[in-house]
């Protein structure tokens, strides 16, 4: 089927974004077609747009960016048993050139999760990539336990806001870094200590940390080794830049890449239904060329609070009314 989408036809800056009609592949036996009510912005979107990941993903153009979706199932594959037309679902689909900046997108059923009744499409769309990244970093790789001290860098960011809540739910002592304007928010989310990185060098005030969750890299990552205890853990969504710093204190330092996972997404949905996990949405934009352009511009500043969501419900309603 054909879908309206925001695409790129070449790598480059935000000017490369354009609206187009794209023909999607047919729905596979274990797939569903989702009418996209909302998607969200992640740094991988604009990094891929700029061409940084083209060696990893050698795709043909046009490329539809976006790897978060919340919406309603409108078609199911012939082998799909657990989902039906009309179900409200969210997902972090497989990374293909047919992303989620579109009115419709395909999702494998093993990556789907149901949206709790109390959760909106925009709240659900914020979760998949950032929420799964936080969950996997802290627990699958970081093996965080109750009573341990965890330092979460950039707590006010999309991944950070989920990581703080998940770590607190697990009984950890949570420390994070943020601008003063975000301190109250992060304390409400569960942070025990919030360090103003403008005025305080975290390296000078922290020690004996069990786990550092690094989303920054560079100098921040290097300094993080000094605050970890012997045999502590550092988990990064970026590369580990200096293995010798880890070896000096027998620190387990690991760079991770997100694994798509519908079961874990269902766990996050359950926490949302129980009021133990909320999406912090700092800004919303429409699924138009200009909307995505403005959303990328905000994401690129690295100063957005929480998640940037693309809300497509108004566009869908307009198209249905025609």
């Amino acid at each position: 089927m054909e879908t309206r989408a925001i695409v790129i036809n070449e790598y480059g800056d935000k000017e490369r974004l354009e609206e187009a009609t794209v023909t999607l592949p047919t729905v596979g036996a274990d797939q569903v077609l989702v009418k996209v009510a909302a998607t969200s912005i992640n740094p991988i979107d604009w990094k891929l747009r700029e061409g940084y990941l083209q060696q990893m993903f050698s795709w043909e153009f046009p490329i539809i960016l976006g790897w978060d979706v919340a919406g309603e199932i409108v078609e199911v594959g012939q082998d799909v048993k657990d989902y039906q037309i009309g179900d409200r679902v969210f997902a972090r689909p497989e990374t293909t050139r047919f992303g989620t900046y579109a009115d419709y997108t395909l999702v494998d059923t093993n990556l789907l999760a149901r949206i709790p009744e109390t959760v909106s499409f925009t709240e659900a769309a914020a979760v998949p990539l950032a929420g799964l990244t936080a969950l996997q970093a802290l627990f699958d790789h970081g093996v965080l336990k109750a009573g341990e001290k965890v330092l979460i860098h950039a707590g006010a960011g999309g991944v950070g806001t989920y990581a703080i809540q998940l770590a607190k739910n697990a009984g950890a002592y949570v420390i994070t870094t943020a601008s003063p304007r975000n301190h109250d928010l992060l304390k409400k989310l569960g942070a025990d200590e919030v360090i103003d990185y403008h005025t305080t060098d975290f390296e000078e005030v922290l020690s004996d940390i069990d786990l550092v969750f690094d989303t920054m890299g560079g100098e921040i990552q290097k300094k993080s080794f000094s605050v970890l205890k012997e045999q502590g853990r550092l988990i990064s969504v970026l590369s580990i830049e200096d293995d010798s710093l880890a070896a000096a204190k027998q620190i387990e330092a690991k760079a991770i890449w997100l694994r798509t996972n519908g079961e874990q997404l269902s766990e996050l949905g359950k926490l949302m239904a129980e009021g133990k996990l909320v999406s912090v949405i700092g800004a919303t934009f429409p699924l138009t060329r200009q909307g995505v352009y403005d959303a990328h511009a905000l994401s690129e500043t690295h100063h957005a609070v929480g998640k940037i969501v693309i809300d497509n419900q108004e566009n869908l309603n307009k198209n249905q009314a025609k």
Side-chain angles (χ1 to χ4, degrees):
M1 71 166 287
E2 291 189 334
T3 183
R4 183 186 70 90
I6 309 303
V7 307
I8 55 169
N9 283 297
E10 59 182 321
Y11 294 114
D13 61 16
K14 293 182 288 298
E15 299 299 331
R16 305 284 81 78
L17 293 163
E18 54 187 271
E19 187 165 313
T21 299
V22 177
T23 302
L24 296 177
T26 54
V27 179
D30 291 307
Q31 289 185 317
V32 299
L33 182 67
V34 177
K35 181 164 66 172
V36 180
T39 179
S40 82
I41 305 295
N42 297 286
I44 189 178
D45 301 6
W46 48 265
K47 287 176 183 175
L48 198 146
R49 186 205 74 220
E50 290 177 348
Y52 290 121
L53 303 176
Q54 58 185 304
Q55 289 178 317
M56 188 182 294
F57 305 114
S58 55
W59 296 330
E60 296 174 14
F61 293 106
I63 295 170
I64 307 172
L65 300 173
W67 292 279
D68 281 326
V69 64
E72 188 179 300
I73 294 175
V74 292
E75 187 180 339
V76 297
Q78 61 184 26
D79 294 342
V80 175
K81 304 273 193 303
D82 297 333
Y83 292 92
Q84 56 192 21
I85 291 170
D87 284 352
R88 296 169 76 245
V89 293
F90 65 139
R92 196 293 191 190
E94 289 293 2
T95 312
T96 74
R97 74 181 183 94
F98 298 103
T100 58
Y101 293 2
D103 287 341
Y104 296 89
T105 196
L106 294 165
V107 185
D108 299 338
T109 51
N110 66 311
L111 304 180
L112 285 173
R114 286 183 170 80
I115 300 174
E117 286 181 18
T118 54
V119 176
S120 69
F121 284 126
T122 51
E123 290 167 328
V127 174
L129 191 149
L132 287 173
T133 298
L135 181 74
Q136 291 173 12
L138 292 173
F139 304 108
D140 294 352
H141 301 286
V143 201
L144 182 65
K145 299 179 185 68
E148 290 192 317
K149 284 185 186 176
V150 58
L151 169 60
I152 297 165
H153 285 300
V159 174
T161 52
Y162 291 118
I164 288 168
Q165 296 174 80
L166 292 171
K168 192 63 180 175
N169 286 336
Y173 184 87
V174 182
I175 307 162
T176 191
T177 55
S179 294
R181 65 192 173 99
N182 297 319
H183 285 202
D184 287 346
L185 166 67
L186 301 186
K187 284 175 181 172
K188 280 181 190 165
L189 294 179
D192 295 288
E193 283 183 51
V194 186
I195 296 170
D196 176 5
Y197 63 83
H198 294 293
T199 60
T200 305
D201 185 343
F202 73 90
E203 187 182 26
E204 294 177 2
V205 295
L206 297 179
S207 61
D208 212 31
I209 303 295
D210 295 286
L211 172 66
V212 171
F213 181 21
D214 166 46
T215 57
M216 306 291 287
E219 197 63 27
I220 300 294
Q221 185 186 98
K222 284 179 186 171
K223 288 182 175 183
S224 294
F225 286 104
S226 70
V227 305
L228 280 161
K229 59 168 56 170
E230 292 273 338
Q231 299 182 327
R233 292 101 66 200
L234 184 142
I235 305 298
S236 181
V237 295
L238 302 158
S239 60
I240 302 300
E241 295 167 35
D242 189 344
D243 289 323
S244 67
L245 293 172
K249 290 170 75 173
Q250 294 182 284
I251 287 163
E252 181 188 0
K254 189 191 288 190
I256 66 165
W257 186 261
L258 174 77
R259 288 183 301 106
T260 52
N261 190 310
E263 285 184 20
Q264 288 184 330
L265 196 54
S266 292
E267 289 175 30
L268 295 176
K270 204 173 293 181
L271 289 172
M272 294 181 86
E274 293 169 357
K276 294 177 181 174
L277 186 72
V278 298
S279 290
V280 175
I281 298 172
T284 58
F285 297 90
L287 185 60
T288 60
R289 191 264 179 187
Q290 188 63 48
V292 172
Y293 183 103
D294 293 341
H296 277 216
L298 178 56
S299 179
E300 287 171 29
T301 69
H302 297 286
H303 292 300
V305 177
K307 288 288 298 182
I308 302 165
V309 171
I310 303 292
D311 187 344
N312 194 37
Q313 292 169 92
E314 192 175 322
N315 284 321
L316 291 173
N317 292 337
K318 273 185 197 169
N319 292 340
Q320 285 174 343
K322 284 180 184 176

